Structure formats: C-alpha cells, structure tokens
Amino acid sequence: MPIDDTDLRGMSAADARAYAIEFMTALKSLERDLSAIGEEMSLWAKRVELAASKGARDLEAGARAKLDELSAKKSSLATERDELAAKVARIREKLPMAGASERSVDPDLLLAELRMAAGQDPDDRDANDAAKLKSEIGALGGDDALAALKRKLQQEEGN
C-alpha cells in the first residue's frame, strides 16, 4: 500500500503548517522550472525556424532533437506538478483539522456546564463549605503568619 503523504494525523498544528508549506514551496519550484523550460523551448523553436530558413538541415535536426527533449521534460514536469497540486489541495483541506487533539478542555468549566445541564447549581459548594474552609485555614495559623509578615514589611518600610 502506498504511503499517503497528505495524512496530517498525529502532527501538531505548527508541524502540519510547516509540512504544507514544504509542499507549496515544491509546487512553486516546479512551476518556475516549467516556466523556464517553456522559455527555453521558445528559444529552440526559433532556432529550428532559423535553421530551416537557412537550409541547414543538420542544425535544424539538432535543434528539433533538443526541442523534443525539452518537450518530454516539460511533459514529465507538468505531470509531476499536477500530482503535487492535487496533494497540496488535499493537505489544505485537512489543515484545519490538524492539531485538533491539541485543543484543551477546562475541566472546571465542563463540570459547571454539565451541572447546569442536569439542573443543578454550577457551583457545587455551599455557604457552609466556605465557612468551614475559612475556619480550617484559620486553624492552620495562616492568618497569624500573614499578620506577622505584614508587620515585618511595615517595619522595614519605616527604616
């Protein structure tokens, strides 16, 4: 089975974009090569005409051979370009889906949405929990430590 080089699964969004750019760059390069061969073919076609008008059959035959060679090369590159253009089109179609697995989910937001969909309060904590939490923090001595830190900072600012 041939490898599908337009498959972007498993790539991050940035990697997929870089991969697509490589294909697009190769396509542009092929198009430039085809343009250059077209110009070279035009030059050799003029040489064929010139040799024919001068009656130089050996030069005309050589120029025709070169023109045929360029024509075959152009045909091969055109086929390659068409295949590459089709691959670029497929990659462009798949690009928006690349990196879809990277999207993260906020678990707290999801929980709140699910609780609302179930007809419950999105925040499952009640007032008693808040008071209990505050008393537990106080029991740990957090308030005393914070007050001591504030006093120390004020003394240092005074000096």
Side-chain angles (χ1 to χ4, degrees), residues 107-144:
D108 294 328
L109 177 61
L110 181 60
L111 177 63
E113 289 173 352
L114 288 173
R115 291 183 59 78
M116 287 187 330
Q120 298 175 353
D121 183 12
D123 187 4
D124 61 350
R125 296 174 297 193
D126 59 18
N128 291 336
D129 287 344
K132 183 179 175 185
L133 181 63
K134 187 172 184 178
S135 69
E136 287 175 357
I137 290 174
L140 292 175
D143 291 336
D144 295 335

Short mmCIF file of all heavy atoms in Angstrom, two decimals, residues 107-144:
data_model
loop_
_atom_site.label_atom_id
_atom_site.label_comp_id
_atom_site.label_asym_id
_atom_site.label_seq_id
_atom_site.Cartn_x
_atom_site.Cartn_y
_atom_site.Cartn_z
N PRO A 107 -11.55 21.57 32.72
CA PRO A 107 -12.41 20.63 33.45
C PRO A 107 -13.41 21.32 34.38
O PRO A 107 -14.53 20.85 34.53
CB PRO A 107 -11.41 19.78 34.24
CG PRO A 107 -10.14 20.54 34.24
CD PRO A 107 -10.16 21.42 33.04
N ASP A 108 -13.04 22.45 34.97
CA ASP A 108 -13.96 23.15 35.87
C ASP A 108 -15.14 23.72 35.09
O ASP A 108 -16.29 23.64 35.53
CB ASP A 108 -13.24 24.28 36.62
CG ASP A 108 -12.20 23.74 37.59
OD1 ASP A 108 -12.41 22.63 38.13
OD2 ASP A 108 -11.16 24.42 37.79
N LEU A 109 -14.86 24.28 33.91
CA LEU A 109 -15.92 24.82 33.08
C LEU A 109 -16.83 23.70 32.59
O LEU A 109 -18.06 23.83 32.59
CB LEU A 109 -15.32 25.58 31.89
CG LEU A 109 -16.30 26.16 30.89
CD1 LEU A 109 -17.22 27.18 31.57
CD2 LEU A 109 -15.57 26.79 29.72
N LEU A 110 -16.24 22.59 32.18
CA LEU A 110 -17.03 21.45 31.72
C LEU A 110 -17.93 20.92 32.84
O LEU A 110 -19.11 20.65 32.62
CB LEU A 110 -16.10 20.34 31.21
CG LEU A 110 -16.78 19.09 30.68
CD1 LEU A 110 -17.68 19.42 29.50
CD2 LEU A 110 -15.72 18.07 30.26
N LEU A 111 -17.39 20.83 34.05
CA LEU A 111 -18.19 20.37 35.19
C LEU A 111 -19.35 21.31 35.46
O LEU A 111 -20.49 20.88 35.66
CB LEU A 111 -17.31 20.22 36.44
CG LEU A 111 -18.05 19.81 37.72
CD1 LEU A 111 -18.66 18.42 37.55
CD2 LEU A 111 -17.09 19.83 38.89
N ALA A 112 -19.08 22.61 35.42
CA ALA A 112 -20.14 23.59 35.66
C ALA A 112 -21.22 23.48 34.58
O ALA A 112 -22.42 23.54 34.88
CB ALA A 112 -19.56 25.00 35.69
N GLU A 113 -20.83 23.31 33.32
CA GLU A 113 -21.80 23.18 32.23
C GLU A 113 -22.63 21.91 32.39
O GLU A 113 -23.85 21.92 32.16
CB GLU A 113 -21.08 23.18 30.88
CG GLU A 113 -20.53 24.53 30.50
CD GLU A 113 -19.67 24.51 29.24
OE1 GLU A 113 -19.37 23.41 28.72
OE2 GLU A 113 -19.30 25.60 28.77
N LEU A 114 -21.98 20.82 32.78
CA LEU A 114 -22.72 19.57 32.99
C LEU A 114 -23.70 19.69 34.15
O LEU A 114 -24.82 19.20 34.08
CB LEU A 114 -21.74 18.41 33.23
CG LEU A 114 -20.95 17.94 32.01
CD1 LEU A 114 -19.89 16.92 32.44
CD2 LEU A 114 -21.87 17.35 30.97
N ARG A 115 -23.28 20.36 35.23
CA ARG A 115 -24.17 20.54 36.38
C ARG A 115 -25.36 21.41 35.99
O ARG A 115 -26.49 21.12 36.39
CB ARG A 115 -23.40 21.15 37.55
CG ARG A 115 -22.37 20.19 38.16
CD ARG A 115 -21.68 20.78 39.37
NE ARG A 115 -22.59 21.15 40.44
CZ ARG A 115 -23.14 20.29 41.29
NH1 ARG A 115 -22.87 19.02 41.20
NH2 ARG A 115 -23.96 20.71 42.24
N MET A 116 -25.13 22.45 35.20
CA MET A 116 -26.24 23.30 34.75
C MET A 116 -27.19 22.51 33.85
O MET A 116 -28.41 22.64 33.94
CB MET A 116 -25.72 24.55 34.03
CG MET A 116 -25.10 25.55 34.97
SD MET A 116 -24.63 27.16 34.28
CE MET A 116 -24.22 26.89 32.61
N ALA A 117 -26.63 21.68 32.95
CA ALA A 117 -27.46 20.87 32.06
C ALA A 117 -28.31 19.87 32.85
O ALA A 117 -29.41 19.53 32.44
CB ALA A 117 -26.58 20.12 31.05
N ALA A 118 -27.81 19.44 34.01
CA ALA A 118 -28.54 18.50 34.86
C ALA A 118 -29.51 19.23 35.80
O ALA A 118 -30.16 18.61 36.63
CB ALA A 118 -27.57 17.65 35.66
N GLY A 119 -29.57 20.55 35.68
CA GLY A 119 -30.49 21.33 36.51
C GLY A 119 -29.96 21.63 37.90
O GLY A 119 -30.71 21.97 38.80
N GLN A 120 -28.67 21.49 38.10
CA GLN A 120 -28.06 21.75 39.40
C GLN A 120 -27.34 23.09 39.37
O GLN A 120 -27.10 23.66 38.31
CB GLN A 120 -27.07 20.64 39.76
CG GLN A 120 -27.70 19.27 39.88
CD GLN A 120 -26.66 18.19 40.11
OE1 GLN A 120 -25.46 18.44 40.05
NE2 GLN A 120 -27.12 16.98 40.36
N ASP A 121 -26.98 23.54 40.56
CA ASP A 121 -26.20 24.76 40.69
C ASP A 121 -24.81 24.51 40.10
O ASP A 121 -24.18 23.49 40.42
CB ASP A 121 -26.09 25.13 42.17
CG ASP A 121 -25.36 26.44 42.40
OD1 ASP A 121 -25.15 27.19 41.42
OD2 ASP A 121 -25.01 26.71 43.56
N PRO A 122 -24.32 25.39 39.21
CA PRO A 122 -23.00 25.15 38.61
C PRO A 122 -21.86 25.13 39.62
O PRO A 122 -20.85 24.48 39.42
CB PRO A 122 -22.82 26.29 37.62
CG PRO A 122 -23.83 27.30 37.98
CD PRO A 122 -24.93 26.60 38.72
N ASP A 123 -22.04 25.83 40.74
CA ASP A 123 -21.02 25.82 41.79
C ASP A 123 -21.53 24.91 42.89
O ASP A 123 -22.47 25.24 43.60
CB ASP A 123 -20.79 27.24 42.32
CG ASP A 123 -19.63 27.32 43.30
OD1 ASP A 123 -18.95 26.29 43.50
OD2 ASP A 123 -19.41 28.40 43.85
N ASP A 124 -20.93 23.75 43.05
CA ASP A 124 -21.44 22.74 43.97
C ASP A 124 -21.06 23.00 45.43
O ASP A 124 -21.39 22.22 46.31
CB ASP A 124 -21.00 21.34 43.56
CG ASP A 124 -19.49 21.18 43.55
OD1 ASP A 124 -18.79 22.20 43.67
OD2 ASP A 124 -19.01 20.05 43.39
N ARG A 125 -20.37 24.07 45.67
CA ARG A 125 -20.03 24.39 47.06
C ARG A 125 -21.17 25.20 47.66
O ARG A 125 -21.78 26.03 46.99
CB ARG A 125 -18.75 25.20 47.11
CG ARG A 125 -17.53 24.43 46.62
CD ARG A 125 -16.35 25.31 46.57
NE ARG A 125 -16.65 26.37 45.58
CZ ARG A 125 -15.76 27.19 45.09
NH1 ARG A 125 -14.52 27.14 45.48
NH2 ARG A 125 -16.10 28.11 44.23
N ASP A 126 -21.44 25.03 48.89
CA ASP A 126 -22.47 25.83 49.55
C ASP A 126 -21.81 26.77 50.57
O ASP A 126 -20.60 26.74 50.78
CB ASP A 126 -23.57 24.96 50.18
CG ASP A 126 -23.03 23.99 51.22
OD1 ASP A 126 -21.91 24.21 51.71
OD2 ASP A 126 -23.74 23.03 51.53
N ALA A 127 -22.63 27.56 51.21
CA ALA A 127 -22.11 28.56 52.15
C ALA A 127 -21.41 27.90 53.33
O ALA A 127 -20.44 28.44 53.87
CB ALA A 127 -23.24 29.46 52.63
N ASN A 128 -21.88 26.76 53.76
CA ASN A 128 -21.26 26.06 54.89
C ASN A 128 -19.83 25.64 54.54
O ASN A 128 -18.95 25.67 55.39
CB ASN A 128 -22.08 24.84 55.31
CG ASN A 128 -23.41 25.24 55.93
OD1 ASN A 128 -23.54 26.34 56.45
ND2 ASN A 128 -24.39 24.36 55.85
N ASP A 129 -19.64 25.22 53.30
CA ASP A 129 -18.31 24.81 52.87
C ASP A 129 -17.33 25.99 52.93
O ASP A 129 -16.18 25.82 53.33
CB ASP A 129 -18.34 24.24 51.45
CG ASP A 129 -18.96 22.86 51.37
OD1 ASP A 129 -19.09 22.21 52.43
OD2 ASP A 129 -19.30 22.44 50.25
N ALA A 130 -17.81 27.18 52.51
CA ALA A 130 -16.94 28.35 52.54
C ALA A 130 -16.55 28.70 53.97
O ALA A 130 -15.38 29.01 54.25
CB ALA A 130 -17.62 29.54 51.86
N ALA A 131 -17.50 28.65 54.89
CA ALA A 131 -17.21 28.97 56.29
C ALA A 131 -16.28 27.92 56.89
O ALA A 131 -15.36 28.26 57.66
CB ALA A 131 -18.51 29.05 57.09
N LYS A 132 -16.51 26.68 56.54
CA LYS A 132 -15.67 25.59 57.04
C LYS A 132 -14.24 25.75 56.55
O LYS A 132 -13.28 25.59 57.30
CB LYS A 132 -16.25 24.25 56.58
CG LYS A 132 -15.49 23.05 57.09
CD LYS A 132 -16.16 21.77 56.60
CE LYS A 132 -15.34 20.57 57.00
NZ LYS A 132 -15.88 19.33 56.46
N LEU A 133 -14.09 26.11 55.24
CA LEU A 133 -12.77 26.32 54.66
C LEU A 133 -12.05 27.46 55.37
O LEU A 133 -10.86 27.35 55.68
CB LEU A 133 -12.89 26.60 53.15
CG LEU A 133 -11.61 26.81 52.38
CD1 LEU A 133 -10.75 25.54 52.42
CD2 LEU A 133 -11.90 27.18 50.94
N LYS A 134 -12.78 28.55 55.65
CA LYS A 134 -12.16 29.69 56.32
C LYS A 134 -11.69 29.31 57.72
O LYS A 134 -10.60 29.69 58.15
CB LYS A 134 -13.13 30.86 56.37
CG LYS A 134 -12.53 32.13 56.88
CD LYS A 134 -13.47 33.29 56.74
CE LYS A 134 -12.77 34.55 57.18
NZ LYS A 134 -13.61 35.73 57.02
N SER A 135 -12.48 28.54 58.43
CA SER A 135 -12.08 28.15 59.79
C SER A 135 -10.88 27.19 59.76
O SER A 135 -10.02 27.26 60.63
CB SER A 135 -13.25 27.52 60.53
OG SER A 135 -13.57 26.26 59.98
N GLU A 136 -10.84 26.31 58.76
CA GLU A 136 -9.71 25.39 58.65
C GLU A 136 -8.41 26.14 58.34
O GLU A 136 -7.36 25.82 58.87
CB GLU A 136 -9.98 24.33 57.58
CG GLU A 136 -11.00 23.30 58.00
CD GLU A 136 -11.36 22.33 56.88
OE1 GLU A 136 -10.84 22.48 55.74
OE2 GLU A 136 -12.15 21.42 57.14
N ILE A 137 -8.52 27.16 57.48
CA ILE A 137 -7.33 27.97 57.17
C ILE A 137 -6.87 28.71 58.42
O ILE A 137 -5.68 28.79 58.71
CB ILE A 137 -7.62 28.95 56.00
CG1 ILE A 137 -7.78 28.17 54.70
CG2 ILE A 137 -6.51 29.99 55.88
CD1 ILE A 137 -8.19 29.01 53.51
N GLY A 138 -7.83 29.24 59.20
CA GLY A 138 -7.50 29.93 60.45
C GLY A 138 -6.83 28.99 61.43
O GLY A 138 -5.91 29.38 62.16
N ALA A 139 -7.30 27.75 61.48
CA ALA A 139 -6.74 26.77 62.40
C ALA A 139 -5.30 26.43 62.05
O ALA A 139 -4.52 26.04 62.92
CB ALA A 139 -7.58 25.50 62.41
N LEU A 140 -4.96 26.56 60.84
CA LEU A 140 -3.59 26.27 60.41
C LEU A 140 -2.63 27.40 60.75
O LEU A 140 -1.42 27.27 60.59
CB LEU A 140 -3.54 26.01 58.89
CG LEU A 140 -4.23 24.74 58.40
CD1 LEU A 140 -4.21 24.68 56.88
CD2 LEU A 140 -3.52 23.51 58.97
N GLY A 141 -3.17 28.53 61.21
CA GLY A 141 -2.32 29.64 61.60
C GLY A 141 -1.94 30.53 60.43
O GLY A 141 -0.99 31.31 60.52
N GLY A 142 -2.67 30.44 59.36
CA GLY A 142 -2.37 31.25 58.19
C GLY A 142 -2.58 32.72 58.44
O GLY A 142 -1.82 33.57 57.99
N ASP A 143 -3.64 33.04 59.21
CA ASP A 143 -3.93 34.45 59.49
C ASP A 143 -2.82 35.06 60.35
O ASP A 143 -2.41 36.20 60.13
CB ASP A 143 -5.28 34.58 60.20
CG ASP A 143 -6.45 34.25 59.30
OD1 ASP A 143 -6.29 34.36 58.06
OD2 ASP A 143 -7.52 33.88 59.82
N ASP A 144 -2.35 34.32 61.34
CA ASP A 144 -1.29 34.83 62.22
C ASP A 144 0.01 35.05 61.44
O ASP A 144 0.70 36.06 61.64
CB ASP A 144 -1.03 33.84 63.37
CG ASP A 144 -2.24 33.71 64.30
OD1 ASP A 144 -3.04 34.66 64.36
OD2 ASP A 144 -2.36 32.65 64.94
#
